[in-house]
């Protein structure tokens, strides 16, 4: 994959220097040997630059900007906004930006009956303690500050967002 990006950069460089497609392909063959692009593909990339098509680097920058504005954007939304194919957006996110979808918030699975029963028992005990001692809640120790979000996802799918290895963890993002 790195070779393809390097060759694309070489084609763009040669194009800006005013080299022809044939000269550019010869340079690629010299530099990359057996790993160089075929003549047809090199000519296609050269032609797309000549026709003013946006370079891959510009597409990557546009995708990055949109994702940083809203990490919960879907690939389909990116496609519709940028006019790129689904596969191209997916490749840019995964290979170029090294991003993947992760759940931004932990959403527990459905509780089993015994887990539901245990929660009900704990709630009843707390309710009973409150009835016996009206000052019960004043004895509860809490941490410093915490933020409560008004959005509780109904499913894990709704909380998915794009993250890269350098992104802060989702727990630190929720506490701002």
């Amino acid at each position: 994959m790195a070779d393809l990006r390097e060759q694309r950069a070489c084609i763009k460089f040669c194009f800006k220097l005013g080299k022809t497609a044939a000269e550019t392909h010869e340079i690629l063959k010299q530099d990359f040997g057996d790993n160089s692009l075929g003549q047809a593909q090199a000519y296609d990339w050269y032609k797309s630059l000549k026709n003013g098509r946006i370079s891959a680097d510009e597409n990557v920058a546009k995708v990055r900007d949109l994702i940083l504005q809203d990490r919960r954007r879907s690939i389909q939304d990116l496609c519709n906004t940028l006019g790129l194919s689904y596969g191209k957006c997916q490749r840019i996110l995964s290979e170029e930006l090294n991003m993947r979808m992760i759940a931004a918030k932990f959403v527990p699975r459905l509780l089993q009956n015994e887990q539901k029963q245990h929660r009900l028992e704990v709630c009843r005990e707390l309710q009973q303690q409150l009835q016996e001692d009206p000052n019960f809640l004043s004895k509860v120790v809490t941490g410093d500050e915490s933020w409560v979000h008004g959005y509780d996802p109904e499913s894990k799918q709704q909380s998915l967002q794009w993250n890269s290895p350098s992104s802060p963890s989702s727990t630190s993002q929720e506490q701002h």
Side-chain angles (χ1 to χ4, degrees), residues 40 51-52 54 76 90 104 108 115-116 118 125 127 143 151 159 170:
N51 292 335
I54 293 177
Q76 191 60 51
Q90 189 175 35
Q115 293 169 316
K116 290 178 185 178
H118 178 68
E125 286 176 22
Q127 189 178 24
Y151 173 74
S159 73
S170 59

Side-chain angles (χ1 to χ4, degrees), residues 7-8 11-12 15 20-22 24-25 28 37-55 88:
Q7 290 183 59
R8 186 173 36 208
I11 292 171
K12 187 174 182 179
F15 174 78
T20 66
T24 301
H25 184 250
L28 290 177
L37 292 172
Q39 182 179 4
Q41 190 172 15
Y43 277 44
D44 284 346
W45 282 3
Y46 189 91
K47 183 180 176 184
S48 68
L49 288 171
K50 192 173 183 177
N51 292 335
R53 186 169 164 210
I54 293 177
S55 75
K88 185 171 287 213

Side-chain angles (χ1 to χ4, degrees), residues 144-155:
D144 289 343
E145 265 186 58
S146 64
W147 290 85
V148 178
H149 292 279
Y151 173 74
D152 270 339
E154 296 171 3
S155 69

